[in-house]
Amino acid sequence: MQNQPMLLRNAGHVLTGLPGEAARSPARDLRIEDGVIVEMGRGLESWPGERVLDASDCVIYPGWVNTHHHLFQSLMKGVPVGINSTLTPWLKSVPYAFRAAVDEDFLRLAARIGMVELLLSGCTTIADHHYVYYPGMAFDPSEVLFDEADALGARFMLLRGGATRARDAEEGAPAHLRPETLDGMLAHVQDVAGRYHQSGPRPMTRVAMAPTTITISLATEELRPMARAARELGVPLHSHLSETVSYMEHCREAYDRLPLEYAAEHEWLGPDVWFAHLVHLADSERDMLVETGTGMAHCPQSNGRLGSGVAPAPALARRGAPVSLGVDGAASNEAADMLSEAHYCWLMHRAHAGAASRPRPEGTGEQGADAVTVEEIIRWGSAGGAGVLGFEGVGTLEPGMAADLAVYRLDEPRYLGLHDRAIAPVVSGARPYLKYLLANGRVVVEDDAIPGLDMDALRAQALDTVKALLRAA
Ligand SMILES: [Zn+2]
């Protein structure tokens, strides 16, 4: 039931998504009413009519917020032709090669698989950068995506992608490869925002203006009108940027600018903008992100998988730039869930910092193990994400905030012997049993399963669809 009051009791640890000392709450019980945390403490008594959820020995995290995904790719995992490719050839041989297959049924199934995977990792807010739009489509992908999220009970944000310039545009290209017009894109964003964009506290659905890649997908003179149209509508701006060195090469050749200089010149920086990746940044570009409050969707697993590099997320976060976590599409991240992402993030930045250590005296000696802490990664993946997406009242566990939270049970041998069980979901590298997942105060996962979801049918549909794709290839 949507609004049944609840009392979560006896948690072993509660991590909050807040900074510093507040990252760990002394509370063991949380009271929830109308989708909001109303009280946190120890030894809270249950009230009549409350459902009591036992969290004994469990670890409670804020619901993860995923700030960059491409759900349509959830049926394009591990495609052999792209498995050892860098971004540019991979884009051509995987997501663009399968673009024609993305009809309504395909998108619905792919979205469901991706969302189920995320929910079972403890994610309650999903932002999907969907860019398969073209003139004359037989269906509106936006509706499919909002529908699927609503059925599963997750908060959902559509990052409405697309392009007015096609990659390698050819005369007479098939319909699914044709670019849109700027007016067509803007009219659709206005329509979708009118139906789904909520502001104010604890929104369930939001929309962003999100051309696929601002340095490639739009004509230069279209960037500023698009940014202005978004600000007029009150929706934020999102795009891919600086994922590989080729972004810098392309920007230098085409515009004689660094990618972030190009963005700045066309009003594409600010606290209402966040970019996916931001791996390759000049020092001056880092300063621009910090000074303007422009956010990052950090996608470490995808950056590792495609050999793109290591984004300077810890350095930017230390200087106050907004950092969040995104899984990116499953065609470039075969573990597109938030716990995998957090675990890899934790290790990657330590390895990266350690790789820079040199023997003393001229070098630095051992270093790297303090590159990023578990608490920081949880913060990026919860409050940080809600901040860049503009989900007000979401992302931390405190009274007055949305009751979005994951209750992990640590029963497996891997969790036995831990001196600090609070860190297990991030450091131990597997998905713990998810006893409960609450989104907006509603139980959306219980006993590691999604009530009402036929997982066998989902498996069978996925296998059939991949077989059909292989036959068609
Ligand atoms: Zn992406």
Side-chain angles (χ1 to χ4, degrees):
M1 265 196 291
Q2 178 81 40
N3 289 324
Q4 187 180 12
M6 283 182 224
L7 181 65
L8 272 151
R9 248 198 334 217
N10 294 328
H13 299 272
V14 177
L15 277 80
T16 60
L18 290 163
E21 295 279 294
R24 296 178 183 232
S25 170
R28 294 295 170 260
D29 311 324
L30 294 94
R31 195 185 311 277
I32 294 158
E33 275 175 24
D34 294 326
V36 178
I37 300 167
V38 293
E39 191 179 8
M40 290 170 67
R42 287 175 179 248
L44 300 185
E45 293 296 328
S46 66
W47 295 345
E50 256 180 1
R51 180 180 175 196
V52 176
L53 305 179
D54 178 28
S56 297
D57 293 328
C58 293
V59 177
I60 299 184
Y61 277 25
W64 295 96
V65 176
N66 172 22
T67 61
H68 183 77
H69 205 330
H70 308 289
L71 287 162
F72 80 93
Q73 294 177 8
S74 303
L75 287 157
M76 304 173 188
K77 297 172 188 169
V79 175
V81 68
I83 199 73
N84 298 319
S85 299
T86 55
L87 177 73
T88 306
W90 167 87
L91 274 171
K92 206 169 213 172
S93 63
V94 185
Y96 282 87
F98 287 110
R99 208 175 144 102
V102 187
D103 63 14
E104 184 168 355
D105 289 344
F106 184 101
L107 179 61
R108 192 171 288 284
L109 177 61
R112 192 171 300 172
I113 290 168
M115 289 183 191
V116 165
E117 184 182 3
L118 283 166
L119 253 66
L120 290 174
S121 74
C123 176
T124 47
T125 302
I126 302 167
D128 191 50
H129 192 191
H130 189 75
Y131 55 75
V132 186
Y133 288 96
Y134 47 88
M137 285 188 88
F139 69 106
D140 184 350
S142 322
E143 283 172 9
V144 173
L145 293 163
F146 279 111
D147 268 9
E148 286 299 313
D150 181 59
L152 290 166
R155 294 185 205 274
F156 185 77
M157 185 164 186
L158 176 75
L159 320 181
R160 204 290 194 185
T164 63
R165 294 199 305 185
R167 273 183 190 264
D168 305 320
E170 285 161 31
E171 276 299 304
H176 68 273
L177 291 175
R178 282 185 211 146
E180 299 179 275
T181 62
L182 180 65
D183 287 347
M185 275 181 85
L186 296 182
H188 187 252
V189 172
Q190 185 170 7
D191 171 54
V192 175
R195 283 187 286 161
Y196 299 105
H197 187 66
Q198 300 173 355
S199 39
R202 301 179 299 280
M204 287 305 293
T205 56
R206 284 177 64 79
V207 173
M209 182 87 78
T212 311
T213 301
I214 52 165
T215 49
I216 295 170
S217 314
L218 301 174
T220 300
E221 64 273 16
E222 293 172 331
L223 261 72
R224 203 172 289 137
M226 182 175 269
R228 289 181 182 177
R231 288 180 175 125
E232 194 120 310
L233 280 172
V235 302
L237 294 162
H238 177 68
S239 193
H240 291 102
L241 203 67
S242 300
E243 183 169 354
T244 64
V245 286
S246 71
Y247 283 71
M248 287 177 129
E249 293 164 355
H250 171 72
C251 262
R252 196 175 50 218
E253 284 160 23
Y255 314 118
D256 195 25
R257 299 276 184 286
L258 288 164
L260 277 159
E261 289 172 350
Y262 183 67
E265 206 174 326
H266 299 97
E267 303 176 10
W268 267 81
L269 294 186
D272 59 346
V273 185
W274 82 107
F275 292 111
H277 303 302
L278 296 174
V279 174
H280 295 272
L281 297 171
D283 288 349
S284 60
E285 292 181 290
R286 296 185 188 204
D287 294 343
M288 292 166 89
L289 292 170
V290 173
E291 282 157 16
T292 59
T294 304
M296 165 193 273
H298 182 32
C299 306
Q301 289 195 131
S302 174
N303 298 156
R305 151 74 148 91
L306 293 169
S308 302
V310 178
L316 286 169
R318 270 196 298 275
R319 295 179 59 193
V323 172
S324 66
L325 286 183
V327 300
D328 207 3
S332 65
N333 177 6
E334 282 75 9
D337 77 76
M338 290 301 283
L339 286 177
S340 250
E341 202 67 48
H343 178 62
Y344 181 70
C345 185
W346 187 67
L347 294 176
M348 182 189 72
H349 288 293
R350 288 163 175 239
H352 187 238
S357 56
R358 298 285 176 269
R360 287 190 176 118
E362 63 283 359
T364 51
E366 290 180 0
Q367 61 172 19
D370 60 353
V372 62
T373 67
V374 168
E375 288 84 353
E376 283 172 297
I377 288 176
I378 293 171
R379 182 161 169 75
W380 296 353
S382 57
V388 303
L389 300 182
F391 277 80
E392 197 187 303
V394 174
T396 56
L397 299 186
E398 310 169 80
M401 296 296 283
D404 290 10
L405 54 91
V407 182
Y408 300 109
R409 206 173 79 191
L410 307 172
D411 291 349
E412 301 298 313
R414 141 181 337 237
Y415 307 115
L416 308 180
L418 277 163
H419 289 223
D420 179 9
R421 288 162 62 82
I423 62 174
V426 172
V427 303
S428 294
R431 192 181 72 78
Y433 185 97
L434 186 58
K435 189 165 183 188
Y436 301 109
L437 181 68
L438 270 60
N440 199 33
R442 201 178 131 211
V443 177
V444 295
V445 176
E446 184 159 6
D447 291 327
D448 215 28
I450 295 172
L453 177 79
D454 187 342
M455 193 63 100
D456 289 331
L458 197 62
R459 273 187 210 107
Q461 282 176 286
L463 286 168
D464 286 349
T465 304
V466 171
K467 269 185 207 153
L469 287 178
L470 289 170
R471 271 198 306 273

